[in-house]
């Protein structure tokens, strides 16, 4: 009987340790207007301490993928989505294969976009979304060389699914 209790104690300790490893401590970024928050795993994403053009920037742990978030003080209408996205990349070159479609991201229906940019003979891929909601529009976008985006889509989805509206 004591051997069974000892074995049960060992197994319960093992399962408790396994649950701790699978449940990482998330950190939270709260937008400047305190309307949105992004919960992220600091083992996968590092929040940059400062940025000049975006509200916050994240980098994956290998520094291959950049994620940028901004909260606009105006609304971006659906008919201006394409021109808004094209304008953001114009200093780097012409974007190609721009696709914009509706998608649910953590229960928020957003205008998701994907595009490519040939810059200095490297193919870069960008994706992200624009959402017009309370207080204006927000944008979260990812950029990296094509290979990094393709190999790390689960990581991008993880950060996307961390965004929510604060009630």
């Amino acid at each position: 009987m004591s051997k069974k209790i000892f074995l049960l104690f060992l197994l319960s300790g093992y399962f408790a340790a396994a649950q701790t490893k699978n449940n990482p401590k998330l950190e939270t970024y709260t937008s400047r207007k305190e309307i949105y928050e992004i919960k992220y795993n600091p083992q996968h994403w590092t929040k940059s301490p400062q940025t000049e053009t975006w509200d916050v920037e994240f980098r994956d742990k290998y520094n291959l993928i950049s994620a940028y978030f901004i909260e606009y003080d105006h609304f971006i209408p659906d008919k201006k989505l394409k021109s808004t996205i094209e304008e953001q990349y114009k200093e780097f070159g012409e974007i190609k294969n721009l696709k914009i479609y509706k998608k649910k991201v953590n229960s928020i229906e957003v205008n998701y976009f994907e595009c490519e940019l040939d810059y200095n003979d490297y193919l870069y891929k960008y994706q992200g979304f624009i959402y017009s909601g309370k207080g204006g529009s927000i944008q979260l976008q990812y950029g990296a060389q094509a290979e990094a985006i393709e190999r790390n889509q689960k990581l991008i989805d993880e950060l996307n699914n961390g965004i929510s509206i604060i009630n």
Side-chain angles (χ1 to χ4, degrees):
M1 180 72 171
S2 64
K3 288 182 182 179
K4 288 182 182 179
I5 291 174
F6 181 71
L7 180 62
L8 195 63
F9 176 74
L10 282 176
L11 287 174
S12 66
Y14 171 76
F15 289 118
Q19 286 178 345
T20 303
K21 288 181 183 177
N22 291 336
N23 234 348
K25 185 176 189 305
L26 300 179
E27 293 187 14
T28 303
Y29 165 78
T30 303
S31 68
R32 62 183 165 82
K33 292 182 182 181
E34 297 181 347
I35 297 173
Y36 304 92
E37 68 181 12
I38 302 173
K39 292 188 186 292
Y40 64 97
N41 183 341
Q43 294 174 349
H44 298 160
W45 293 98
T46 304
K47 185 170 76 77
S48 296
Q50 291 182 325
T51 177
E52 293 181 20
T53 54
W54 298 87
D55 291 347
V56 67
E57 293 181 16
F58 295 93
R59 305 250 185 256
D60 74 305
K61 71 178 181 177
Y62 299 112
N63 208 23
L64 295 172
I65 302 172
S66 300
Y68 307 97
F69 174 84
I70 191 164
E71 193 171 28
Y72 297 108
D73 294 329
H74 60 278
F75 294 98
I76 301 171
D78 286 356
K79 65 181 180 181
K80 295 268 189 184
L81 289 172
K82 183 177 180 184
S83 62
T84 299
I85 294 166
E86 288 173 337
E87 180 69 24
Q88 290 177 338
Y89 297 104
K90 78 175 185 182
E91 70 182 79
F92 303 109
E94 184 180 339
I95 61 170
K96 299 173 182 161
N97 302 323
L98 176 60
K99 298 176 203 160
I100 301 172
Y101 53 93
K102 298 285 186 191
K103 179 178 178 177
K104 277 216 181 220
V105 172
N106 198 17
S107 76
I108 303 170
E109 188 169 311
V110 301
N111 290 302
Y112 209 87
F113 69 90
E114 298 176 13
C115 62
E116 297 174 347
L117 176 71
D118 189 7
Y119 182 70
N120 288 338
D121 294 327
Y122 290 101
L123 180 63
Y124 287 86
K125 286 193 174 183
Y126 293 89
Q127 65 177 273
F129 61 85
I130 296 175
Y131 172 73
S132 291
K134 186 173 156 184
S137 294
I138 61 168
Q139 181 176 358
L140 180 59
Q141 76 173 29
Y142 303 88
Q145 284 184 280
E147 298 83 2
I149 292 286
E150 292 163 1
R151 292 181 183 155
N152 292 290
Q153 189 61 50
K154 286 182 183 177
L155 196 60
I156 291 168
D157 293 341
E158 173 189 295
L159 190 60
N160 272 345
N161 289 324
I163 194 161
S164 62
I165 299 171
I166 299 171
N167 294 325

